[in-house]
Amino acid sequence: IHILDASLNPVPVGVVGHLYIAGIGLARGYINRPELTARTFIPNPFSATPGARMYLSGDLARYLPDGTIEYLGRSDHQVKIRGLRIELGEIEATLAALEAVRDAVVLAREDSAGSQRLVAYLVAHDGQVLPEAGTMRSTLLQALPDYMVPEYFVGLDAMPLTTNGKVDRKALPAPDMVQSEAEYVAPRTPTEQVIAEIWADLLHIEKVGVQDEFFALGGHSLLAVQMVSQLRKRGAMDIELRDLFSHPTLGALAAFVDSNKTAPRHPNLVPIQTDGDLTPLFLIHPIGGEVQYAFDLARHLDADQPVYALAASGFAVGQAPHTSIAEMAGAYLDAMRQVQASGPYLIAGWSLGGMIAYEIAYQLLAAGEAVDFVGMIDTGSSHFLQAQWHADHAVEFDECRALLHWIVDQNPDVADARQHPAYGELMTLADSKDSDAMIAVCQREALLPAQLDTALVKRILALYQAGAKAAEAYRAPPAAIAVTFFAADRNADEDLSLGWAALLGERLEVTSIGGSHFSIVKPPHIKKLAREISGRIKPDAPSVELLFASK
């Protein structure tokens, strides 16, 4: 048995892949169907026997940590929503693991606006009651990315079956794609009404209530950027992306807008979890400047752990990005001191954020402050990034290259850009430095929303450029600091520390988290990452001056 990705590479433990069968018991093919045989009985790259074949079963599966293979459904039940490939079988398996659920089927159905929505159909065990939809969403978010959590849950007495005993998916009833009237609280103020209209338009739902949360309704970071742009256009509400993360429900966001921000705070500071009497954890943004990962990570930390994020400058009209790592660190340190006047400090950052976290720690130590924890999550050193970007582009990290990076960040499914149908066209336009035409192609291919404000796109691309140039130019100063490095999966010949071992030497300790650059902050890896961070920042954790978490 082999579990492989689309390029026939073995997938890591816990990652879903296509199940192939090989060995001496393999059939020769399909009788009188040479085309199907050629498509599914393919050369076996893992066998030394000439002519050996393996069979593409059409099943999806993954290895569990104990070596067990978990079956997750058929690959022909795979769907694509908002550019992301989704394995319906993986969602069904997660739902079936819930105590009250006997049977689970998930479909992608079109709503009245033509958008695909995930719908879960559930049958409870005899004598048990299915949990409320909100409870199931919260539970699923612990194991699945937010884009794989169904928006609708339909309870059934029994699944409709075909004559041969299989689930008749075509007979599953269409859900009532509206909210329960008992739970719905209509917008009460003009601000709530404006925000509700924008959310309904972006999320393709009929109505939005005061208690509804943007991300629970199917929102994601790219739609959040679009929402902020629409608010500024239609309501003259000059809010930042970070304000949505701090006030995710319609009522809370409207109240924040109406307050005119009477409680001033640092422009880079994003309060995520303010309750709790533990030392706050500060999470720094990646290269794109937004802090979605911090919002996700906070869900998996202790309930009494305060969490604040630091978002980049440059999203707002007239606001310029910071141009150096030291400048970013200085600004964010001022923001941190508004929350916590003195140390010891706890700091972490994903991607570019880890580099900034290191510089913040260096500045704090130079000022005589104590730093108990810094996490670098999948952060490359300047030397590593220079080699990587030059190998990929061999040109300046201009606006066109920044757009290519942003597309990959927002669409992990097209991380191998060469496999996308528009790759050739985009690269030709990038070579001619025609970023406006590239944006149009991306909107045509649904890699960016068609309604996204072009001026906002340009500001985000400027953030990517500023971050890349700052990272390339940064020369991390040496410091007598103990470091723990949380690593994502790498090939055997790759440096797990991405160049940091050369600076830190024996002060570096490597701990494996797994996943890739993107998935290390997504389920299931984010749970392990949160657990490892929690174990190091709790009051009874071993004392160290500085701790790194990195890919």
Side-chain angles (χ1 to χ4, degrees):
I1 298 295
H2 299 282
I3 302 179
L4 311 175
D5 64 17
S7 301
L8 300 184
N9 297 311
V11 298
V13 172
V15 176
V16 179
H18 297 277
L19 190 145
Y20 289 79
I21 303 170
I24 61 173
L26 192 65
R28 296 174 181 168
Y30 289 93
I31 295 177
N32 298 324
R33 300 191 67 184
E35 292 183 359
L36 182 58
T37 297
R39 188 165 66 247
T40 56
F41 288 80
I42 66 173
N44 184 354
F46 307 103
S47 175
T49 303
R53 300 259 163 190
M54 61 181 184
Y55 172 61
L56 173 58
S57 68
D59 296 322
L60 298 171
R62 63 183 168 195
Y63 282 111
L64 300 182
D66 65 357
T68 302
I69 293 175
E70 181 182 15
Y71 171 73
L72 294 171
R74 297 286 299 169
S75 59
D76 49 11
H77 293 160
Q78 191 180 77
V79 298
K80 201 168 186 179
I81 298 178
R82 296 192 297 270
L84 297 170
R85 185 173 289 119
I86 295 172
E87 312 288 2
L88 297 181
E90 186 174 4
I91 307 173
E92 292 170 353
T94 306
L95 283 166
L98 299 180
E99 184 177 353
V101 175
R102 188 184 74 194
D103 299 311
V105 173
V106 178
L107 297 182
R109 304 193 74 130
E110 281 194 3
D111 59 17
S112 58
S115 296
Q116 296 273 17
R117 303 284 174 177
L118 290 177
V119 182
Y121 297 89
L122 306 167
V123 176
H125 285 291
D126 292 342
Q128 296 198 40
V129 179
L130 294 172
E132 294 291 331
T135 301
M136 285 192 283
R137 283 194 191 96
S138 299
T139 302
L140 293 179
L141 281 169
Q142 304 300 309
L144 298 171
D146 53 2
Y147 62 84
M148 290 180 67
V149 175
E151 296 179 45
Y152 304 96
F153 296 85
V154 179
L156 300 174
D157 294 331
M159 293 291 179
L161 303 177
T162 63
T163 53
N164 61 5
K166 294 185 178 181
V167 175
D168 187 353
R169 293 173 176 257
K170 294 181 180 179
L172 289 167
D176 182 14
M177 292 186 173
V178 297
Q179 296 148 299
S180 166
E181 292 298 331
E183 300 175 357
Y184 178 74
V185 178
R188 302 156 299 189
T189 68
T191 302
E192 288 179 351
Q193 186 62 47
V194 170
I195 296 175
E197 290 173 358
I198 293 174
W199 286 17
D201 182 53
L202 287 177
L203 300 170
H204 300 297
I205 55 180
E206 184 177 331
K207 57 186 179 181
V208 180
V210 170
Q211 301 302 322
D212 288 331
E213 183 178 322
F214 183 78
F215 300 102
L217 293 176
H220 49 84
S221 57
L222 189 54
L223 279 179
V225 170
Q226 192 175 353
M227 187 275 296
V228 170
S229 175
Q230 291 295 321
L231 275 176
R232 288 172 178 159
K233 280 184 176 181
R234 292 164 58 172
M237 303 173 191
D238 191 16
I239 71 167
E240 303 293 340
L241 185 61
R242 64 177 185 269
D243 297 325
L244 178 60
F245 291 110
S246 300
H247 309 86
T249 67
L250 184 145
L253 185 62
F256 171 77
V257 171
D258 288 337
S259 71
N260 286 320
K261 306 181 185 179
T262 53
R265 75 166 188 262
H266 195 282
N268 300 110
L269 188 66
V270 185
I272 293 178
Q273 166 61 32
T274 58
D275 295 332
D277 54 5
L278 298 178
T279 302
L281 172 65
F282 296 93
L283 298 172
I284 318 300
H285 66 82
I287 190 171
E290 51 86 20
V291 290
Q292 172 75 55
Y293 90 94
F295 186 81
D296 296 337
L297 185 61
R299 291 173 174 166
H300 299 279
L301 297 173
D302 294 342
D304 58 348
Q305 175 62 60
V307 178
Y308 294 82
L310 282 306
S313 298
F315 284 105
V317 176
Q319 192 180 64
H322 294 113
T323 57
S324 73
I325 299 298
E327 184 183 355
M328 294 176 198
Y332 304 162
L333 183 50
D334 288 342
M336 292 164 56
R337 284 177 168 145
Q338 285 191 5
V339 175
Q340 183 184 352
S342 60
Y345 288 94
L346 311 175
I347 318 164
W350 172 43
S351 191
L352 178 69
M355 187 180 287
I356 302 169
Y358 181 89
E359 176 62 25
I360 291 174
Y362 177 78
Q363 293 186 16
L364 282 168
L365 293 173
E369 291 282 5
V371 180
D372 278 359
F373 175 87
V374 169
M376 293 181 77
I377 307 167
D378 197 24
T379 296
S381 66
S382 294
H383 177 74
F384 173 85
L385 295 175
Q386 287 173 7
Q388 185 183 57
W389 289 337
H390 291 172
D392 288 346
H393 309 309
V395 294
E396 179 188 2
F397 196 97
D398 57 12
E399 190 174 69
C400 294
R401 262 59 192 187
L403 178 58
L404 291 174
H405 272 262
W406 187 34
I407 292 167
V408 171
D409 286 352
Q410 295 298 331
N411 301 271
D413 190 48
V414 296
D416 186 358
R418 292 173 178 81
Q419 294 184 3
H420 194 278
Y423 172 74
E425 185 178 3
L426 286 172
M427 291 306 298
T428 299
L429 293 171
D431 290 339
S432 63
K433 299 186 180 298
D434 192 346
S435 59
D436 290 336
M438 287 181 69
I439 292 170
V441 171
C442 290
Q443 291 176 327
R444 184 195 74 204
E445 297 291 327
L447 295 172
L448 292 176
Q451 308 93 328
L452 197 61
D453 179 62
T454 302
L456 179 58
V457 172
K458 295 281 190 176
R459 292 198 296 275
I460 294 174
L461 297 183
L463 273 168
Y464 269 81
Q465 287 181 272
K469 291 176 181 178
E472 252 191 319
Y474 182 59
R475 298 295 177 264
I481 298 169
V483 174
T484 299
F485 189 103
F486 297 113
D489 288 330
R490 298 245 176 245
N491 294 329
D493 59 344
E494 291 182 295
D495 175 14
L496 279 178
S497 74
L498 301 185
W500 289 99
L503 174 69
L504 300 168
E506 294 181 354
R507 298 188 299 278
L508 184 70
E509 176 191 355
V510 177
T511 298
S512 178
I513 297 298
S516 66
H517 177 80
F518 300 103
S519 67
I520 195 171
V521 291
K522 296 291 185 182
H525 307 294
I526 195 170
K527 294 178 68 176
K528 182 178 180 180
L529 177 62
R531 186 168 64 249
E532 295 288 351
I533 290 176
S534 293
R536 288 164 172 79
I537 65 177
K538 287 180 179 177
D540 57 351
S543 177
V544 293
E545 277 189 274
L546 185 64
L547 207 61
F548 281 3
S550 183
K551 179 174 176 180

